[in-house]
């Protein structure tokens, strides 16, 4: 046998056959009477191309993503790279090979020598699943595969595409239509997202987080409070007038009250929760030592030095001579020490902490300016499109619609996609972001419903990469910011929609939303997936809304102000059902204002540890980590104007179903299966002290519950972690 017939097909230079080159001057390897089938679109998008083998003098198929080479037409989902690298045992694509018996094909010598003992094994990677823009508005899993007639494969008919991925559990309902009415608005002037800019923004945000960590260590000797940087981003965006969607750049005042308060709370040492006596003793000694050291090293007044040093030395002396004290004694002594030394320690640390806040803001402003200059240079035409909206159109009432950008999107770079088991991996310039396949299908649906400038899904992968990268930046290292994305259980959303007509979420994202209409933090990337923009700039005229805000004091206070303005201006039915943590020691200003509002119609109190939240990392976490028990009580407040109260008022029947939906799955199952009449909800009472017919109740779940579920998953941030204890 001649030596030119030896060797692997993979070693040859691939010659890609175009549709017109199937009958080249070298001679066609196929019969003139049989026209070779064209490659289906799903194979081309998965990386397959038709090439010509000069050694074997016949065509073969090469995948540029996985470096696979096959003699026969590849079939998606039926080829194992590890056990059959060259596809020797793959089913033939042409019916003409059936005369070889049991589908066995005649092997050539080059096929037999394709796999050697030195060949490398690759991890099993599924080919790219195509994103089909056809049949807009149709769910990919609307019909089961067995309900459709089977299609036979012929030599001239390509193999059918695999069935779209069908999630095992769905945590959303995108079929609910909105009842939110707004006034028509002009397109937004945000710059369109671009992977290059998003990659640079991620690097700068990471650098800013590192600067914050270093400043806290160098100036105060403490670790940054957990999630304080994320809450700083939220609090700054309330008043920020800059152009960057994430980094604040134009705020007044420059010193953030949120960051300043949280840093001062951790000076001189961070006070953690105490369970045992020895922990209380160590914390008391650590606080006294840190306060004395701090007052000696700072420029303090003689009176402050005298008070702090005397109290610190007295505490240490007490610790040395008294070894029989209880945990309560240590905690009382710590509280006394804080009262005596706290004001003096805060006075000497004030300038340093303000310097930290000011420095972080200045760096953020510089990074924002740099990003905008780079972004404008990438745009072909940064000037917004001519979209004049007449005053009559602005006053026209319409159902709410996603954010539209006035600046057209330029040509976006390529983003690679592949699947690893149930995870979709998107890669751009070596930076990979991941999302489970269920939420990837959800993003495809949201994009199909909301995007109007990309009917062929040519920019879909680039925009998904930008979306995932943006939220990865906000979550920070270790996903600490996922607590800001916690959501209500699916059963609660179903009850809200069924009983109160809720069809809109005031604080959500494309990753954790239940309805396809919602407000979110980033209109530039979220608008393509259904976002109506930030809620604080969203002005509905009527509708029923659910509000579960990030637990940041300043943000919740701004939310209540916006509620009051909207309810006072509209005479149409308008309702907001608000879910906030029931913190009473001390009570938050937002909760106090809502409880005193003239628009409050009813209030529920859901007991701690007897209700659940959905994880903020639900798009990447495991199924068993999707829900976690709330470690604090949740207050549910119904803010409605007169028309909204008449249409969606909190009647006892509606409230009963809502409270039942709040119970965890184990409690809800046992409660519904128990015989006898429905139990009376304790503490439910109506108050007639106000003409607005305000009522308030305290709702408690059954006392018996699974004790094994009372502890939170350590990988998930509890809603209480969304905000540092005051």
């Amino acid at each position: 046998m001649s030596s030119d017939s030896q060797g692997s097909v993979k070693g040859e230079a691939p010659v890609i056959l175009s549709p017109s080159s199937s009958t080249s001057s070298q001679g066609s390897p196929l019969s003139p009477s049989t026209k070779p089938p064209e490659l289906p679109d799903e194979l081309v998008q998965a990386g397959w191309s038709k090439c010509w083998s000069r050694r074997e003098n016949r065509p073969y198929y090469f995948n540029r993503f996985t470096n696979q080479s096959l003699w026969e037409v590849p079939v998606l989902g039926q080829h194992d790279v590890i056990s059959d690298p060259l596809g020797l045992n793959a089913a033939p694509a042409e019916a003409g090979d059936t005369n070889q018996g049991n589908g066995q094909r005649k092997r050539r010598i080059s096929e037999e020598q394709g796999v050697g003992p030195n060949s490398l094994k690759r991890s099993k990677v599924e080919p790219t699943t195509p994103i089909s823009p056809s049949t807009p508005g149709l769910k990919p899993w609307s019909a089961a595969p067995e309900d459709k007639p089977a299609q036979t494969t012929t030599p001239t008919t390509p193999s059918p595409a695999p069935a779209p991925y069908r999630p095992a559990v769905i945590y959303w309902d995108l079929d609910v239509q909105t009842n939110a009415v707004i006034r028509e608005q002009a397109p937004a002037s945000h710059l369109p997202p671009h992977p290059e800019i998003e990659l640079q923004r991620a690097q700068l945000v990471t650098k800013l987080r590192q600067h914050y960590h270093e400043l806290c260590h160098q100036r105060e000797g403490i670790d940054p409070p957990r999630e304080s940087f994320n809450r700083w981003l939220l609090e700054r965006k309330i008043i920020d007038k800059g152009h960057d969607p994430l980094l604040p750049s134009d705020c007044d005042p420059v010193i953030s009250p949120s960051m300043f308060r949280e840093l001062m709370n951790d000076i001189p040492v961070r006070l953690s929760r105490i369970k045992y006596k020895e922990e209380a003793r160590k914390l008391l000694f650590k606080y006294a030592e840190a306060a004395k050291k701090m007052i000696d090293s700072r420029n303090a007044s003689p009176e402050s030095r005298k008070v702090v040093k005397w109290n610190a030395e007295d505490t240490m002396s007490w610790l040395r001579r008294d070894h029989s004290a209880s945990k309560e004694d240590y905690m009382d002594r710590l509280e006394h020490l804080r009262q005596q030394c706290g004001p003096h320690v805060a006075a000497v640390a004030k300038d340093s902490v303000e310097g930290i806040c000011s420095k972080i803001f200045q760096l953020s402003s510089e990074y924002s300016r740099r990003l905008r200059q780079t972004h404008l240079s990438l745009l072909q035409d940064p000037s917004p499109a001519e979209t004049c909206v007449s005053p009559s159109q602005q006053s026209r009432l319409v159902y709410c619609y996603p954010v539209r950008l006035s600046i057209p999107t330029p040509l976006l770079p390529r983003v690679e996609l592949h699947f690893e088991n149930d995870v979709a991996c998107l890669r751009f310039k070596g930076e990979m972001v991941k999302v489970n396949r269920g939420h990837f299908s959800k993003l495809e649906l949201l994009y199909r419903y909301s995007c109007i400038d990309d009917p062929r899904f040519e920019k879909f992968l680039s925009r998904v990469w930008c979306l995932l990268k943006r939220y990865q930046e906000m979550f920070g290292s270790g996903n600490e910011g996922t607590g800001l994305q916690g959501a209500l259980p699916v059963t609660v959303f179903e009850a809200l929609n069924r009983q109160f007509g809720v069809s809109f979420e005031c604080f959500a994202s494309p990753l954790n939303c239940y309805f396809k209409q919602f407000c979110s933090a980033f209109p530039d990337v979220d608008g393509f997936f259904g976002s109506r923009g930030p809620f604080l700039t969203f002005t509905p005229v009527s509708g029923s809304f659910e509000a579960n805000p990030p637990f940041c004091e300043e943000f919740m206070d701004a939310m209540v102000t916006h509620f009051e303005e909207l309810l006072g201006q509209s005479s149409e039915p308008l309702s907001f059902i608000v879910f906030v943590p029931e913190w009473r020691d001390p009570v938050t200003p937002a909760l106090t204002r809502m409880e005193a509002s003239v628009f409050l119609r009813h209030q529920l109190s859901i007991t701690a540890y007897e209700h659940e939240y959905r994880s903020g990392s639900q798009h990447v976490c495991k199924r068993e980590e999707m829900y976690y028990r709330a470690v604090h009580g949740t207050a549910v407040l119904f803010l409605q104007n007169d028309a909204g109260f008449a249409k969606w008022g909190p009647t006892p029947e509606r409230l009963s179903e809502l409270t039942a939906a709040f119970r965890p799955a184990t409690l809800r199952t046992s409660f519904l299966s128990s015989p006898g009449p429905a139990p009376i909800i304790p503490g439910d009472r109506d108050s007639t002290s106000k003409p607005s017919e305000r009522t308030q109740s305290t709702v408690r779940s059954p006392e018996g519950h699974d004790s094994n579920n009372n502890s939170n998953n350590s990988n998930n941030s509890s809603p209480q972690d969304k905000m540092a204890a005051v």
Side-chain angles (χ1 to χ4, degrees):
M1 182 175 295
S2 61
S3 61
D4 59 354
S5 64
Q6 304 290 332
S8 172
V9 180
K10 294 182 180 179
E12 304 169 1
V15 180
I16 301 178
L17 295 178
S18 62
S20 61
S21 64
S22 58
T23 58
S24 62
S25 59
Q26 298 179 1
S28 174
L30 302 178
S31 174
S33 60
T34 305
K35 183 179 180 180
E38 299 294 340
L39 278 180
D41 292 338
E42 61 268 14
L43 293 180
V44 175
Q45 296 186 21
W48 290 101
S49 59
K50 191 174 182 180
C51 307
W52 181 261
S53 173
R54 294 190 181 93
R55 181 180 293 111
E56 299 294 342
N57 195 30
R58 64 165 179 164
Y60 69 99
Y61 302 91
F62 175 74
N63 192 306
R64 64 178 183 275
F65 296 151
T66 61
N67 292 330
Q68 303 174 44
S69 299
L70 300 178
W71 291 116
E72 304 297 339
V73 178
V75 179
L76 293 179
Q78 298 184 7
H79 176 55
D80 191 347
V81 184
I82 298 178
S83 62
D84 190 13
L86 290 180
L88 304 179
N89 297 325
E94 297 183 2
D97 295 338
T98 55
N99 55 356
Q100 297 181 9
N102 298 328
Q104 298 294 329
R105 297 171 296 150
K106 186 176 181 180
R107 298 185 181 180
R108 294 174 180 254
I109 297 179
S110 61
E111 291 180 319
E112 296 174 356
Q113 297 180 357
V115 181
N118 298 325
S119 60
L120 299 176
K121 290 187 178 181
R122 297 185 183 91
S123 60
K124 185 175 179 181
V125 179
E126 299 183 18
T128 305
T129 301
I131 307 299
S132 173
S134 59
T135 63
L138 181 64
K139 283 188 176 181
W141 53 81
S142 58
E146 57 268 19
D147 297 338
K148 301 180 180 179
Q151 299 180 1
T152 58
T153 303
T154 62
T156 59
T157 303
S159 302
Y165 181 79
R166 182 174 182 175
V169 182
I170 299 176
Y171 300 96
W172 53 84
D173 186 356
L174 306 183
D175 292 333
V176 177
Q177 301 301 318
T178 183
N179 56 17
V181 177
I182 62 173
R183 298 192 183 278
E184 193 169 5
Q185 299 177 349
S189 59
H190 305 289
L191 299 182
H194 195 284
E196 291 280 0
I197 300 301
E198 208 58 49
L199 181 59
Q200 185 178 353
R201 180 180 287 111
Q203 296 170 352
L204 292 177
V205 171
T206 302
K207 188 176 180 180
L208 188 62
R209 288 180 182 272
Q210 293 175 351
H211 276 299
Y212 179 50
H213 190 276
E214 292 172 359
L215 287 174
C216 291
H217 269 278
Q218 293 173 0
R219 298 193 179 187
E220 299 300 334
I222 61 172
D223 290 327
R226 178 179 172 82
E227 292 194 16
S228 60
F229 186 87
N230 301 319
R231 282 186 291 271
W232 174 76
L233 292 175
L234 287 175
E235 182 266 332
R236 294 282 85 183
K237 276 304 173 182
I238 300 174
I239 58 175
D240 183 37
K241 299 178 181 178
H243 299 286
D244 193 86
L246 183 61
L247 292 173
S249 59
D250 186 5
C251 300
D252 186 23
V254 173
I255 306 300
S256 167
S258 173
M259 179 178 286
F260 179 82
R261 180 181 62 250
E262 295 191 38
L263 288 176
M264 294 297 290
N265 285 338
D266 283 5
I267 293 175
V269 294
R270 183 179 181 181
L271 301 180
S272 57
R273 295 180 180 178
I274 301 300
K275 294 183 179 180
Y276 306 105
K277 181 180 72 172
E278 290 301 323
E279 294 178 352
R281 178 185 176 87
K282 292 180 180 179
L283 182 61
L284 176 59
F285 180 82
K286 188 176 180 181
Y287 186 95
E289 185 181 36
K292 181 181 178 181
K293 181 180 179 180
M294 185 175 183
I295 207 69
D296 288 337
S297 60
R298 303 293 177 90
N299 186 17
S301 64
E303 181 66 22
S304 297
R305 292 179 185 274
K306 178 180 178 181
V307 172
V308 173
K309 292 181 68 173
W310 186 88
N311 282 277
E313 292 174 355
D314 180 67
T315 300
M316 293 179 181
S317 175
W318 178 79
L319 287 172
R320 285 191 292 267
R321 68 172 181 267
D322 192 348
H323 299 282
S324 61
S326 63
K327 171 190 169 183
E328 289 73 18
D329 295 334
Y330 291 125
M331 297 307 295
D332 292 342
R333 189 82 182 196
L334 177 61
E335 182 63 25
H336 174 75
L337 185 63
R338 289 187 62 196
Q339 292 178 359
Q340 296 295 322
C341 301
H344 302 281
V345 170
V348 298
K350 179 181 177 182
D351 293 340
S352 176
V353 173
E354 288 180 348
I356 294 176
C357 299
S358 177
K359 182 64 175 180
I360 294 300
F361 179 77
Q362 292 173 3
L363 291 173
S364 177
S365 301
E366 173 62 23
Y367 294 163
S368 175
R369 183 191 60 81
R370 192 186 308 174
L371 282 171
R372 184 167 180 83
Q373 291 179 352
T374 308
H375 203 165
L376 290 174
S377 65
L378 285 178
L379 296 178
Q380 298 174 355
D381 184 14
S383 59
E386 295 294 334
T387 54
C388 297
V389 180
S390 62
S392 60
Q393 288 179 330
Q394 289 183 351
S395 61
R396 184 171 59 182
L397 296 179
V398 296
Y399 285 110
C400 66
Y401 53 89
V403 173
R404 310 298 186 200
L405 301 183
S406 60
I407 302 176
T409 302
L411 184 64
L412 298 179
R414 176 184 177 83
V415 171
E416 298 179 0
L417 167 70
H418 70 274
F419 295 98
E420 298 177 357
N421 298 326
D422 287 336
V423 178
C425 304
L426 294 88
R427 183 189 299 273
F428 174 72
K429 288 191 174 181
E431 289 289 330
M432 180 182 293
V433 292
K434 297 183 179 182
V435 60
N436 62 54
R437 296 190 67 171
H439 281 75
F440 185 78
S441 300
K442 174 190 180 184
L443 292 177
E444 179 187 352
L445 280 178
L446 289 172
Y447 195 79
R448 194 187 310 275
Y449 283 129
S450 307
C451 183
I452 61 175
D453 67 342
D454 186 25
R456 300 185 61 182
F457 278 51
E458 295 173 346
K459 303 172 183 176
F460 173 73
L461 293 181
S462 297
R463 286 170 172 171
V464 170
W465 189 91
C466 291
L467 170 75
L468 296 175
K469 196 65 178 177
R470 177 73 59 81
Y471 281 93
Q472 187 182 81
E473 298 163 21
M474 190 183 72
F475 291 161
S477 59
N479 287 336
E480 67 172 13
T482 55
L484 300 173
Q485 289 282 303
L488 299 175
V490 172
T491 54
V492 175
F493 275 114
E494 292 174 346
L496 290 173
N497 174 251
R498 189 165 48 247
Q499 298 297 328
F500 299 97
V502 173
S503 63
F504 194 104
E505 297 172 71
C506 296
F507 304 95
S509 72
L511 301 174
N512 72 347
C513 65
Y514 179 81
F515 305 110
K516 65 175 180 287
Q517 45 272 342
F518 55 90
C519 283
S520 65
F522 309 118
D524 58 328
V525 294
D526 297 344
F528 300 108
F529 302 91
S531 172
R532 272 59 171 170
F535 176 72
L536 297 182
T537 60
F538 183 68
T539 55
V541 177
S542 68
S544 183
F545 302 85
E546 174 268 348
N548 180 27
F551 297 163
C552 170
E553 280 193 26
E554 290 77 9
F555 197 88
M556 290 192 294
D557 198 49
M559 172 197 70
V560 176
T561 301
H562 196 51
F563 285 156
E564 298 278 352
E565 294 176 354
L566 294 175
L567 291 169
Q569 294 172 359
S570 177
S571 59
E572 299 295 326
L574 191 58
S575 171
F576 295 99
I577 304 179
V578 190
F579 300 81
V580 294
E582 193 170 16
W583 293 332
R584 300 291 181 182
D585 187 21
V587 65
T588 57
L591 182 58
T592 302
R593 291 180 58 191
M594 286 189 289
E595 290 178 338
S597 174
V598 296
F599 299 105
L600 180 64
R601 308 293 178 168
H602 196 87
Q603 181 174 349
L604 300 178
S605 179
I606 311 299
T607 309
Y609 293 105
E610 295 186 0
H611 63 289
E612 296 176 326
Y613 280 88
R614 259 187 305 150
S615 171
S617 58
Q618 58 184 273
H619 60 287
V620 291
C621 72
K622 299 178 181 179
R623 182 177 175 183
E624 57 270 17
E625 299 172 354
M626 183 64 67
Y627 289 97
Y628 58 91
R629 294 290 179 95
V631 298
H632 59 79
T634 296
V636 185
L637 303 102
F638 295 78
L639 302 179
Q640 300 168 332
N641 59 8
D642 293 337
F645 178 67
K647 187 173 184 179
W648 300 299
T651 62
E653 294 78 11
R654 292 171 174 174
L655 294 173
S656 177
E657 181 168 347
L658 177 61
T659 53
F662 246 117
R663 298 185 180 92
T666 53
L667 295 179
R668 188 165 54 251
T669 303
S670 61
F671 172 74
L672 295 177
S673 61
S674 60
I680 300 177
I681 301 175
D684 196 6
R685 62 186 184 276
D686 293 337
S687 174
T688 58
S689 59
K690 286 193 176 183
S692 60
E693 298 181 7
R694 179 194 308 185
T695 57
Q696 183 173 1
S697 66
T698 301
V699 179
R700 298 183 179 273
S701 300
E703 293 296 329
H705 59 276
D706 188 2
S707 59
N708 295 331
N709 294 332
N710 283 348
S711 59
N712 282 348
N713 194 312
S714 59
N715 296 330
N716 295 329
S717 301
S718 66
Q720 192 175 13
D721 288 336
K722 293 177 181 179
M723 175 179 166
V726 180

